[in-house]
Amino acid sequence: MKKAFWKEAVVYQIYPRSFMDSNGDGIGDLQGIASKLDYLKELGVDVIWLSPVFKSPNDDNGYDISDYRDIMDEFGTMADWEQLLEGIHGRGMKLMMDLVVNHSSDEHAWFMESRSSKDSPYRDYYIWRPANEKGEEPNNWVSFFGGSAWQYDEATGEYFLHLFSKKQPDLNWENPTLRKEVYDMMTFWLDKGIDGFRMDVINCISKTPGLPSVGEDRYAWGGEHFMNGPRIHEFLQEMNREVLSKYDIMTVGEMPGATVDQAKLYTGEDRGELNMVFQFEHMDVDSGPGGKWDVRPWTLKGLRDILHKWQVGLEHTGWNSLYLNNHDQPRMVSRFGDAERYHKESAKMLATLLHTLKGTPYIYQGEEFGMTNVKFPSINDYRDIETLNMYREHHIEQGKPEAQTMASIYAKGRDNARTPMQWDASPNGGFTTGTPWIASNPNYVTINAEQSINDPDSIFHYYKKLIALRKQHAIITYGRYELILPEHDEIYAYTRELDGELWLVMLNFFGGEPVFELPEHLAHNARELMISSYDDVDAAQDIRHLKLRPYEARVYKLTV
Ligand code: NOJ
């Protein structure tokens, strides 16, 4: 397996709106981020991924871009951005920017031109269709955010496609001029010195020709016609040839619905596409047939089977990205740990998983000291367009009980991840001196970065240790992964192996104290404890018949 910086790196995701506000307007900004770079350096991260900072009317918090070459007013200026890049590079870190080119904002100059007339040279930058023979939407697809994926536009009497909100019209990748515009824009940022792109829903850019409906229902999920579509590999290979291959950078494609086999095609080293993908299978372990809001309990077997499949599937071809939360997902300690009874223990155990599987780990802001989900009392406290749409659809239009609707939001809503970063115990967690754009999670008083830095046994210090360990031992990046105890209900255990070196990772996923026996070939006592989530592991303990404590994580090097 070839070595690469992006395999060895630890990435830290910043959601700028919620990270640090420097000017008291209640919205995080670039100068705020710049003021926290020493904190990130101290943690040990290599790459910072910035969620979008481009001009945007903020229908979807910057994922609706009205000018790809300029900075959002609330976040600062291009000069601020340049200073931030300098600060990042000056500290030996790298910067990965968000590339949102499945769609733009409806306030982008291209779209305003496009909607103005059927003859506009920009008409074909977007996907316009007349009504069908019944006078309805051109097809029956629904958008990711609910409701039809088509919006009627008076000016020219046609509909445009939007897989997300109606202020996010889809770009038409069939048009070579549009593709060239995108590549030029990417080059503009790369020439400014950025180190990579995270590509928003990039496997949705190729749609089935003819845009066929799915089944007979009035509205249906059309994913099969726009996820991993017919020209996707051609487009990515072209992008790679025209742009990516000319720079030493990293790329990660966000890919809802991608399977292991597809990911091999996207990330195979000889294919000239991307370095890695964000797959979503493990983010659906607690979803029922009704989708993400149809919340079900997850099982360790369900989660492990998926992670295992991806570990084994990309062993020889491709590369995994490792994440359990981001700005679209609930907080991992609330979802997969126990934020009430075992906050510290379960956050450390999940961190051990992310930093000892094979792949590139992604930390989402606040994860490093265990930020949790939030339960705001009223829907009026929520800001996320997806959440607000779902509330309207489920509770107001379909009449589902409010308590049930709010329970889904508490479990899965994206604002769980978007409450302000909790820096310290001062008002609003030190995020702003003004009124934050979304309320802080009241638990900032006890869960915050300052507290975690001051406690040597904290989640923060454990992350530091995990990251440092990765830097010291190539086995964590490059070692072969092998599952052990595949049927255990409470423990996820695996080995990593490189050049005769063998590591054993044992993770107790619950609050019990399971006892287990290691398989014969690992059941010997010559070992060294590399890291553990409890600080008092008995060195003389017999590991052949082991009992793990609640959410305990241990990593041993076995000296064979
Ligand atoms: C995925 C992004 O992560 C999410 O925040 C956004 O709403 C959609 N793509 C649309 O850009």
Side-chain angles (χ1 to χ4, degrees):
M1 172 140 315
K2 277 201 221 118
K3 297 203 161 180
F5 85 82
W6 45 266
K7 294 180 181 172
E8 295 170 21
V10 173
V11 184
Y12 186 95
Q13 182 193 354
I14 291 181
Y15 194 66
R17 204 173 182 79
S18 304
F19 191 65
M20 182 64 201
D21 173 21
S22 72
N23 62 1
D25 67 354
I27 297 174
D29 49 45
L30 297 178
Q31 290 196 15
I33 298 172
S35 72
K36 296 296 184 184
L37 292 179
D38 287 335
Y39 168 82
L40 298 176
K41 185 69 193 168
E42 157 95 13
L43 182 59
V45 306
D46 304 290
V47 177
I48 295 171
W49 152 27
L50 273 193
S51 277
V53 297
F54 314 98
K55 277 242 178 332
S56 165
N58 283 303
D59 191 50
D60 186 17
N61 289 353
Y63 282 93
D64 48 322
I65 296 172
S66 53
D67 185 346
Y68 288 99
R69 297 180 190 230
D70 206 351
I71 300 297
M72 190 192 298
D73 293 328
E74 293 91 324
F75 289 175
T77 62
M78 189 62 94
D80 294 330
W81 181 85
E82 273 156 10
Q83 249 176 29
L84 176 64
L85 180 66
E86 223 178 276
I88 292 171
H89 284 168
R91 287 169 180 79
M93 297 185 285
K94 292 179 188 281
L95 177 62
M96 180 159 77
M97 297 284 277
D98 220 305
L99 182 76
V100 187
V101 290
N102 173 69
H103 45 269
S104 72
S105 162
D106 67 338
E107 297 183 33
H108 193 291
W110 296 339
F111 188 75
M112 299 202 283
E113 279 292 329
S114 183
R115 82 180 342 164
S116 68
S117 133
K118 286 186 185 168
D119 305 323
S120 160
Y122 291 91
R123 184 66 170 182
D124 192 43
Y125 274 35
Y126 294 86
I127 303 174
W128 292 95
R129 294 289 183 276
N132 70 9
E133 58 291 350
K134 292 191 211 142
E136 295 161 348
E137 294 90 354
N139 71 24
N140 66 355
W141 301 353
V142 289
S143 90
F144 278 93
F145 291 162
S148 169
W150 294 94
Q151 176 66 23
Y152 182 71
D153 202 49
E154 294 281 346
T156 55
E158 287 192 335
Y159 290 83
F160 65 86
L161 178 71
H162 61 89
L163 293 183
F164 293 87
S165 93
K166 60 175 189 281
K167 284 184 68 62
Q168 294 168 298
D170 277 51
L171 288 161
N172 178 19
W173 276 73
E174 300 292 325
N175 180 329
T177 320
L178 176 271
R179 299 207 298 277
K180 172 91 171 43
E181 293 257 24
V182 170
Y183 304 152
D184 287 351
M185 175 273 282
M186 293 171 73
T187 303
F188 167 86
W189 288 102
L190 287 163
D191 287 347
K192 281 183 176 287
I194 68 165
D195 306 288
F197 288 112
R198 173 267 187 190
M199 304 185 184
D200 193 66
V201 289
I202 199 69
N203 65 330
C204 296
I205 58 177
S206 165
K207 280 90 176 168
T208 304
L211 312 178
S213 282
V214 173
E216 300 301 320
D217 290 350
R218 179 78 167 85
Y219 295 111
W221 176 242
E224 66 197 77
H225 293 305
F226 53 76
M227 299 194 310
N228 315 301
R231 295 183 73 189
I232 183 67
H233 297 292
E234 178 196 335
F235 292 157
L236 289 176
Q237 285 171 9
E238 180 183 77
M239 177 196 281
N240 191 295
R241 222 170 31 244
E242 298 295 319
V243 188
L244 306 175
S245 60
K246 300 180 181 160
Y247 301 85
D248 180 21
I249 53 168
M250 77 181 268
T251 52
V252 49
E254 189 205 24
M255 303 217 176
T259 63
V260 170
D261 285 338
Q262 285 156 346
K264 283 187 190 172
L265 298 177
Y266 290 123
T267 66
E269 298 200 350
D270 52 348
R271 288 187 43 90
E273 296 188 21
L274 303 176
N275 294 149
M276 58 189 119
V277 304
F278 287 131
Q279 60 88 10
F280 281 76
E281 267 192 76
H282 65 307
M283 291 289 103
D284 282 329
V285 285
D286 50 2
S287 303
K292 92 173 234 184
W293 302 111
D294 179 10
V295 186
R296 302 292 163 92
W298 60 276
T299 61
L300 176 59
K301 181 166 169 39
L303 180 66
R304 181 179 51 209
D305 283 356
I306 294 167
L307 294 176
H308 173 69
K309 181 174 70 179
W310 281 83
Q311 288 287 302
V312 173
L314 300 189
E315 173 72 43
H316 302 294
T317 310
W319 191 252
N320 273 294
S321 45
L322 307 168
Y323 76 98
L324 287 176
N325 50 200
N326 59 35
H327 66 293
D328 293 329
Q329 299 292 337
R331 291 282 180 178
M332 75 179 195
V333 69
S334 303
R335 188 178 188 181
F336 298 113
D338 183 339
E340 265 77 53
R341 284 186 310 159
Y342 296 108
H343 178 249
K344 207 189 251 190
E345 292 81 357
S346 60
K348 288 182 180 180
M349 184 279 293
L350 293 168
T352 315
L353 172 77
L354 291 170
H355 291 258
T356 62
L357 282 176
K358 187 168 181 177
T360 300
Y362 287 76
I363 302 171
Y364 179 65
Q365 66 184 40
E367 173 190 324
E368 72 278 16
F369 54 87
M371 277 181 66
T372 69
N373 282 355
V374 71
K375 284 185 180 168
F376 290 133
S378 153
I379 190 65
N380 298 325
D381 300 319
Y382 286 84
R383 300 286 174 268
D384 168 32
I385 179 168
E386 183 194 38
T387 301
L388 299 176
N389 285 355
M390 171 286 211
Y391 180 89
R392 201 188 51 237
E393 222 173 84
H394 287 219
H395 176 53
I396 312 225
E397 291 168 16
Q398 297 165 10
K400 290 194 181 136
E402 182 170 39
Q404 184 192 328
T405 308
M406 292 307 286
S408 298
I409 293 173
Y410 294 156
K412 291 286 192 71
R414 304 197 298 181
D415 281 339
N416 280 310
R418 299 177 180 187
T419 57
M421 181 77 169
Q422 297 168 195
W423 291 106
D424 57 37
S426 69
N428 295 310
F431 161 72
T432 182
T433 53
T435 308
W437 68 277
I438 184 170
S440 300
N441 188 322
N443 68 14
Y444 69 77
V445 181
T446 48
I447 299 176
N448 62 64
E450 187 179 65
Q451 183 285 327
S452 213
I453 290 168
N454 291 337
D455 168 10
D457 182 42
S458 69
I459 302 168
F460 180 86
H461 287 287
Y462 191 74
Y463 268 82
K464 270 184 76 170
K465 275 192 225 159
L466 279 170
I467 296 171
L469 204 64
R470 183 181 191 83
K471 305 268 142 75
Q472 287 155 17
H473 301 276
I475 189 171
I476 298 180
T477 306
Y478 297 107
R480 203 170 72 84
Y481 155 99
E482 194 172 335
L483 179 64
I484 55 176
L485 310 176
E487 297 302 327
H488 205 289
D489 289 335
E490 289 158 274
I491 292 168
Y492 188 178
Y494 46 92
T495 56
R496 303 292 308 276
E497 192 183 353
L498 184 72
D499 300 334
E501 196 174 321
L502 184 64
W503 286 31
L504 169 65
V505 179
M506 293 178 288
L507 309 167
N508 179 7
F509 257 77
F510 298 97
E513 302 205 335
V515 180
F516 63 95
E517 281 187 30
L518 286 170
E520 196 63 24
H521 71 290
L522 302 170
H524 55 75
N525 267 324
R527 85 276 165 149
E528 185 185 339
L529 186 67
M530 304 311 285
I531 191 164
S532 60
S533 59
Y534 282 64
D535 62 2
D536 58 348
V537 173
D538 172 7
Q541 193 180 22
D542 185 345
I543 68 163
R544 284 168 299 191
H545 311 283
L546 199 64
K547 181 159 91 175
L548 288 178
R549 290 167 283 181
Y551 292 97
E552 185 167 8
R554 290 191 203 179
V555 182
Y556 286 106
K557 175 176 171 178
L558 300 178
T559 38
V560 203

